[in-house]
Amino acid sequence: MYKNNSFKNANFPILWPFLIGLFGFLLAVGPRVLDPTNIAWLEQGDPSFHYLAWVFYRASEWSFPIGLNPNYGIELSNSIVYSDSIPLFAIFFKIFSDFLPDVFQYFGIWLLTCFLLQSWFSWKLVGLVTDSNLKKALATILFVFSPIMLFRLHGHFALVAHFLIIAALYLVLANKIKSKMIAWGALLSVSLLVHGYLFAMVGLIWLTDLIVRASKSKYTVKKCVYEFLILVIVVAFVGWVAGYFSVGKSISELGYGVYSANMLAVFDSSGWSYILKDLPYEENNLEGFNYLGLGVFFIILFVFPILIDKNNLIYLLNNNKLLVVSLLCFFVFSVSNVVTFGGSFFEYPLPDFVLKYANIFRASGRMFWPVYYMIIFVLLYMLIRGYKQTTSSILLAVAVLIQLTDTHSGWVGIRDKLMADRESNWATPLISSFWHEAEVHYQKIRWINPVNQSDLWHEKTRHIAYYAAKYNKSTDTVRLARINSNKLLQLQSRASLSLETGRYDDDSLYLIDDQSKSLAALNLNEEIDVLAEVDGFTVLAPNWRKCTECQLLENEVKLSELLTPITLGERIEFNQSSTYLLSGWSHTELWGTWSNGTESTLLLPLGKKDVTSITIEAIPFVNSIITKQSLNISVNGLHVDNILLTQNEPSLFEVKIPKEALELGRIKGFLKIDLKLPNAISPKELGEGEDVRLLALGLIALTMH
C-alpha cells in the first residue's frame, strides 16, 4: 500500500506485542480481576448486571437460539446479548459450566484478552508504516494507553474491545492479505458476539473495503457481491444464534442527540490529565468522551510543521479516499443532529424514521472511535515518515512517556476499584430467614412496578436479581441494554391489574416499590396474603398465611400506617413525596407530579375532624393543539364535579366533599379521589419530543379544609 513498505521481517519478535499488552493490563487493571472466583469488583454499577445475567445464563437450560436467557427477564424475551455480558465468552464458558467453580466470572480474563489483542493489532497496524520493532513497540503503547479504551474499564467491559476497530482498520489498509473474505467474516462475527456498537463500526469499515476492492480490476464486482451475500447470511445467522432478534421489532429507545460527541471532545481531558484541565463548559455526557491524550498532542506539535513541505499526508489520503468518506460518516453520526461546540450548540431536524433508526445507536459519541484511531495512525504515519529514524524514535519515546504519566490521573482511580480486596460472596442485605423459606414456595421473583434501567438498581433491585440467581429462580427484576417495549408495557399492565384486584400469581414472590405500596395495601387479601417489610424491602407473599410451617412476619404493612395524617389547612406538596399518590401518576419532579394515563387516584387519610372540601393546585397539559383538559372527579366512588382547565399556568380549584362520601370515608379511614382525564395525551403524539407518558394534569399541591 505504501512506498517502501515491507511485510517481511525475519527478526519479528512475536512476543513483543503480547508483553506490551500484558504490561498495560497489569499497570491499568491489576492482577486481582484474573481470579475467576473474585466478584468483589463486579457488585456495583453496570458490572453487576453484566455478571448477574451471566449467572442466570449459566444456570439456564440450553435452548436454540443458544443465546436466550429466559430466566433473566421472564416475559421480556431476553438474551445474553442485551445484558452486555460478552456473548462470545458467555457461550464458550457455559459449555464448561459443570467443570467450573460455583462462583465464576470471566470478565477479568476478557479484559486481559482485550489488552493483548489491542496491542497485537496495533503492532500490525503500525507495521504498515515501519519495519522498526522499536517504533512499533512505542507506537503500540500509545494505542494500548488510549484514554477512550481505558475509560471503558469503569464498567463497560464489552466496550473495552477496541482491538476490533483497529483490526478493521488494518484489514482495510493492508493490501497483501489473502482470503480477506474469511478475515472479515471472522471479525464481523466476533464483533457481533461482543457488542452491537462495535459490530456497527466494523461493519461499515468492511463495506468500505468491499467497495474499494470492487473498484479494482483484480477483484471483480461479481466476487464482491458474492462476499457481501455470504457474509450477510453468516452475520444474520450468528446474530440469530446469539439472540439479537429475541426482543422483536418493538424497541423504543431515546437519546440520539443527547449522548453525542462534542466538537471539542478530543481536547477535553475530563479528568484524564494532570496538566490539561477540563474545558469550561458544562456537559455530563460520558458517552462523548474522546480525549486524545497529552502524548498525542505532543506528536501533533512535531507533525504540524512538516505538513507544509511533505506530501506523505496527501499520498495517504489519495490512496484511501473512500475510507476518508466513511470516517466522515462516523464523525457526522457521532456529533448527531444536535451539534455541540463547547457550551454552544445548534440543532437541525431529522425525519422521524431516521431518528427511529439512529436511536438504535443512541450513544452516538462512541461512533467517533474509528476516527479517533485513524487520527492517531495518521499522526504516527506522518511522524515516522517525516523524520529521520533516530529523531522519530526519540519523539515517540517522549510521547509515550507523556501519555503514560499524564493519563495516570484517569486510570489510577479505575485501577483502585478493580483491585478491590478479593471476595467470592455477594454482599447482600437479604439476611432474614424469610428469604430461605420463600425460596421453597416461589419459582418467580417479580418487581412492582417492573421497569428497565431502574434508578433503584444500584441501591436495591440488583440484590433481588442476585437472590433470584442464587436460588435459580426467574425474575423480571432486571437491567437490560435493550428490551421489547410492547412486552414491557404488557408486563406493567399485568402488574397494575394485580395491584388493582389484589390477585397475584401463586408461584411468584412480589417486591413492591414505594409508589405502589399504598395500592397493594388497599387491595390486599389479608386472609391469605401477607404484605410486610423484610430487610428494607416491601414483599407481598401470596398464600403465605396458608403455609403452616412458614414463619409469621412481624413488620406487616398496614394502610393506616402508610398514610401520614394530614392536618386541616396543611399544604401537601408533590414535588418530593408520593405518599398519597395511589395510581396513575408519574415520578415526582422538582415542581410536582404529572398524571400518567386517563385515570389517576389520590388516597387521603381522614382525621378526627370533618373534611368539607379539598383545594387542589395544578397545571393542565394544554397548548395550541390541546386547548383544554377535562377532569371528572369522584370521591369514594361518588361523582362530585366536572372541571375544565384551559390556561397553561398553575390553577386552583375546589372539590366539595359530599356527606355520603365522608360517611364512607369514616368507615374506611380515607378519602379516595378518582380523576378521569379523557384528554390525556403524550408529548410524542403532539410532535413535542419523545415523552410517551399520557399527560393531563400536573399536580403541585393540595390542602384539606
Side-chain angles (χ1 to χ4, degrees):
M1 173 184 170
Y2 303 115
K3 295 177 181 178
N4 304 319
N5 181 41
S6 173
F7 288 90
K8 296 180 180 180
N9 189 339
N11 298 317
F12 173 66
I14 194 170
L15 292 179
W16 278 33
F18 294 111
L19 290 175
I20 292 171
L22 180 61
F23 163 75
F25 172 82
L26 293 175
L27 191 63
V29 178
R32 288 185 182 173
V33 300
L34 293 176
D35 181 350
T37 63
N38 176 21
I39 62 172
W41 59 291
L42 297 171
E43 292 185 16
Q44 302 290 333
D46 289 346
S48 61
F49 79 88
H50 306 330
Y51 169 71
L52 287 172
W54 150 247
V55 176
F56 277 95
Y57 180 67
R58 175 186 177 182
S60 65
E61 297 292 331
W62 282 104
S63 60
F64 208 79
I66 61 177
L68 296 183
N69 196 9
N71 289 336
Y72 187 75
I74 314 182
E75 292 86 359
L76 294 177
S77 300
N78 173 43
S79 75
I80 196 65
V81 166
Y82 294 111
S83 56
D84 292 347
S85 303
I86 313 164
L88 181 69
F89 272 39
I91 294 171
F92 174 79
F93 282 106
K94 183 175 179 175
I95 298 173
F96 305 99
S97 181
D98 292 340
F99 305 99
L100 300 176
D102 291 340
V103 176
F104 178 85
Q105 58 84 13
Y106 50 73
F107 296 95
I109 303 171
W110 165 252
L111 293 181
L112 175 60
T113 302
C114 289
F115 272 82
L116 295 178
L117 293 180
Q118 177 86 350
S119 182
W120 168 262
F121 285 110
S122 298
W123 182 281
K124 297 288 288 183
L125 183 64
V126 178
L128 297 175
V129 181
T130 178
D131 292 328
S132 168
N133 290 326
L134 175 60
K135 292 178 183 177
K136 285 193 284 188
L138 292 170
T140 295
I141 295 174
L142 275 181
F143 279 103
V144 170
F145 279 86
S146 60
I148 60 168
M149 186 193 83
L150 299 180
F151 177 76
R152 294 295 157 177
L153 291 170
H154 71 74
H156 292 166
F157 299 140
L159 291 175
V160 179
H162 287 207
F163 67 86
L164 295 167
I165 304 171
I166 296 175
L169 292 174
Y170 172 73
L171 284 180
V172 77
L173 290 172
N175 293 327
K176 299 182 180 181
I177 296 179
K178 296 180 179 179
S179 303
K180 268 200 172 185
M181 184 176 78
I182 296 176
W184 276 117
L187 190 61
L188 287 167
S189 298
V190 169
S191 63
L192 192 61
L193 292 174
V194 173
H195 201 282
Y197 276 85
L198 294 170
F199 167 74
M201 298 177 207
V202 171
L204 182 56
I205 297 173
W206 162 62
L207 290 176
T208 301
D209 183 56
L210 193 62
I211 296 172
V212 169
R213 283 181 282 145
S215 65
K216 297 180 180 179
S217 58
K218 292 183 179 180
Y219 204 86
T220 65
V221 174
K222 183 178 179 180
K223 287 184 178 180
C224 287
V225 172
Y226 172 77
E227 178 179 325
F228 176 81
L229 293 176
I230 291 296
L231 293 193
V232 166
I233 292 172
V234 168
V235 165
F237 177 74
V238 171
W240 177 68
V241 168
Y244 269 92
F245 306 131
S246 63
V247 297
K249 298 179 180 179
S250 300
I251 303 178
S252 177
E253 295 293 344
L254 307 174
Y256 185 70
V258 177
Y259 308 110
S260 58
N262 195 292
M263 296 287 282
L264 299 180
V266 294
F267 305 105
D268 189 359
S269 64
S270 296
W272 277 70
S273 173
Y274 289 113
I275 297 175
L276 296 181
K277 302 305 178 182
D278 298 355
L279 294 183
Y281 61 87
E282 293 184 7
E283 188 174 83
N284 187 25
N285 175 18
L286 300 180
E287 298 300 345
F289 177 75
N290 284 294
Y291 175 58
L292 283 170
L294 196 58
V296 176
F297 292 148
F298 174 80
I299 293 177
I300 292 175
L301 290 177
F302 288 88
V303 164
F304 186 75
I306 64 175
L307 289 178
I308 300 173
D309 55 0
K310 298 292 181 179
N311 61 1
N312 283 323
L313 181 60
I314 297 175
Y315 173 79
L316 179 63
L317 296 179
N318 282 339
N319 281 273
N320 296 280
K321 294 177 182 177
L322 192 58
L323 178 59
V324 172
V325 173
S326 296
L327 293 173
L328 285 174
C329 291
F330 278 119
F331 173 74
V332 171
F333 188 87
S334 71
V335 299
S336 80
N337 64 316
V338 183
V339 182
T340 55
F341 191 93
S344 304
F345 75 95
F346 70 90
E347 182 176 357
Y348 58 90
L350 289 175
D352 289 341
F353 78 92
V354 174
L355 284 174
K356 177 182 178 181
Y357 289 104
N359 275 315
I360 295 176
F361 299 102
R362 57 183 178 176
S364 64
R366 299 172 182 175
M367 292 300 179
F368 186 77
W369 297 347
V371 183
Y372 181 101
Y373 284 113
M374 197 61 190
I375 289 173
I376 295 178
F377 176 76
V378 170
L379 290 172
L380 292 171
Y381 177 89
M382 295 297 297
L383 184 73
I384 293 172
R385 293 299 178 92
Y387 288 92
K388 295 181 179 180
Q389 292 278 355
T390 302
T391 304
S392 60
S393 296
I394 293 174
L395 291 175
L396 275 175
V398 174
V400 167
L401 182 61
I402 293 173
Q403 189 84 347
L404 286 176
T405 303
D406 201 50
T407 59
H408 175 270
S409 63
W411 52 260
V412 66
I414 296 176
R415 187 185 195 277
D416 290 342
K417 293 180 181 179
L418 298 178
M419 283 290 287
D421 292 340
R422 181 193 176 280
E423 182 58 67
S424 60
N425 294 314
W426 187 278
T428 175
L430 309 183
I431 58 176
S432 170
S433 59
F434 162 80
W435 302 105
H436 182 68
E437 291 187 18
E439 176 267 325
V440 178
H441 294 281
Y442 304 106
Q443 286 74 53
K444 300 174 182 178
I445 314 297
R446 296 185 180 274
W447 183 265
I448 293 182
N449 274 302
V451 293
N452 188 39
Q453 305 283 1
S454 169
D455 293 337
L456 294 175
W457 173 265
H458 302 299
E459 177 187 354
K460 302 188 74 170
T461 53
R462 63 188 175 92
H463 297 300
I464 300 303
Y466 167 75
Y467 168 72
K470 179 180 179 181
Y471 291 108
N472 198 22
K473 308 295 181 183
S474 56
T475 184
D476 60 13
T477 309
V478 297
R479 186 175 180 183
L480 295 166
R482 296 290 187 274
I483 59 169
N484 184 305
S485 56
N486 286 342
K487 290 188 176 182
L488 179 60
L489 289 173
Q490 293 171 9
L491 196 60
Q492 291 171 338
S493 297
R494 176 177 175 168
S496 296
L497 183 62
S498 294
L499 285 171
E500 292 167 3
T501 62
R503 292 194 292 270
Y504 301 88
D505 294 343
D506 294 340
D507 65 348
S508 300
L509 176 68
Y510 293 83
L511 285 298
I512 312 296
D513 66 23
D514 291 341
Q515 194 161 346
S516 303
K517 197 183 300 185
S518 296
L519 188 57
L522 176 65
N523 297 318
L524 181 70
N525 186 344
E526 296 182 349
E527 294 182 1
I528 59 173
D529 301 339
V530 170
L531 183 68
E533 297 286 347
V534 183
D535 293 333
F537 292 85
T538 305
V539 300
L540 195 152
N543 293 320
W544 191 259
R545 297 193 193 279
K546 289 184 177 181
C547 175
T548 56
E549 69 274 14
C550 295
Q551 64 171 306
L552 295 176
L553 299 180
E554 297 180 356
N555 298 323
E556 292 194 34
V557 175
K558 302 296 182 183
L559 181 60
S560 58
E561 298 172 353
L562 294 176
L563 300 177
T564 306
I566 299 176
T567 303
L568 296 185
E570 178 185 1
R571 187 173 186 267
I572 305 299
E573 298 181 351
F574 294 94
N575 58 350
Q576 293 180 341
S577 174
S578 59
T579 301
Y580 309 107
L581 305 177
L582 190 63
S583 62
W585 301 97
S586 185
H587 55 275
T588 57
E589 301 179 44
L590 293 177
W591 58 268
T593 305
W594 279 112
S595 61
N596 186 8
T598 56
E599 295 184 3
S600 298
T601 303
L602 294 160
L603 200 65
L604 307 176
L606 281 175
K608 295 181 180 180
K609 296 183 179 180
D610 290 342
V611 178
T612 58
S613 66
I614 300 173
T615 300
I616 295 179
E617 183 180 350
I619 183 171
F621 182 64
V622 294
N623 51 36
S624 58
I625 302 174
I626 301 298
T627 58
K628 63 181 179 180
Q629 288 293 343
S630 301
L631 284 67
N632 186 308
I633 304 175
S634 299
V635 179
N636 283 348
L638 299 175
H639 178 262
V640 297
D641 204 353
N642 289 314
I643 293 177
L644 189 66
L645 300 176
T646 59
Q647 299 298 319
N648 185 22
E649 58 185 29
S651 304
L652 291 175
F653 58 89
E654 190 174 20
V655 178
K656 298 290 185 181
I657 308 299
K659 290 184 178 180
E660 298 86 345
L662 186 59
E663 290 174 359
L664 289 173
R666 287 293 181 199
I667 297 172
K668 297 180 178 181
F670 56 79
L671 293 176
K672 185 167 172 281
I673 315 296
D674 293 308
L675 306 175
K676 291 187 177 181
L677 309 163
N679 301 118
I681 190 170
S682 71
K684 185 174 183 179
E685 291 179 78
L686 298 174
E688 298 181 354
E690 297 296 331
D691 192 343
V692 297
R693 294 176 298 170
L694 295 177
L695 307 182
L697 189 71
L699 183 62
I700 299 173
L702 66 79
T703 305
M704 298 176 65
H705 304 284

